[in-house]
Amino acid sequence: MRVCSSVVLVVCAAFGASLGVAVEWTPSDPPGGTAVALAGDGAGTLWVATEGGGVFRSSDGGALWTAVNQGLGSRAAVALARSAGGRLWAGTEAGPYVSDDGGDSWSGPGSGLTDPGVAALALDPASGTPWLATVGGVFTSS
C-alpha cells in the first residue's frame, strides 16, 4: 500500500508539472500511523484510514484530526469510500464497516465473506453499491 501511495504522489506531481502547475505538498498527518486511504465530502470534511489507528476525521483542512472508531472492528483500516448520499465505508482487516453519521459510529461487517480482510473498496458512482476486493475474491452487497 505504501509503495502505491508513493507512486500516486509521484504521478500526480509529474502530471501537475506537465501542465505547468506548481505542485506543493503540505503535511497534515493524523496521529494514527501510516495514512493509506482518503475520502471527502466536498464541503470541507475529510476522513483518512490508517494502518494502525483506524479512521480519523478533520473538518478544518487537516489541522486537527479526531479518531472516529466507535464500533469499528479493527484499527487496521486500508480503504475508505463515501457515497453521494453520505454513507461512509471503511475496509479493514476484519471486514467492511459502514457509518451513516460521518464515522461517529460503525456497523458491520455482515456475512457471506469467505475471507473478510478488505484489500480494496469501491462504490458504484450511480447506485452507491459497494464492491470489495478480499483475499477470498470480489464481493458486492445491496
Side-chain angles (χ1 to χ4, degrees), residues 96 107-113:
S107 61
S111 62
L113 297 175

Side-chain angles (χ1 to χ4, degrees), residues 58-132:
S58 176
S59 55
D60 60 5
L64 297 173
W65 293 95
T66 302
V68 287
N69 294 315
Q70 183 176 343
L72 199 61
S74 169
R75 298 295 188 262
V78 298
L80 278 177
R82 187 178 178 279
S83 71
R87 178 169 274 186
L88 189 63
W89 290 86
T92 76
E93 65 182 10
Y97 286 78
V98 64
S99 175
D100 289 317
D101 56 12
D104 289 333
S105 63
W106 296 89
S107 61
S111 62
L113 297 175
T114 55
D115 184 334
V118 176
L121 167 67
L123 299 180
D124 180 300
S127 67
T129 300
W131 288 86
L132 303 174

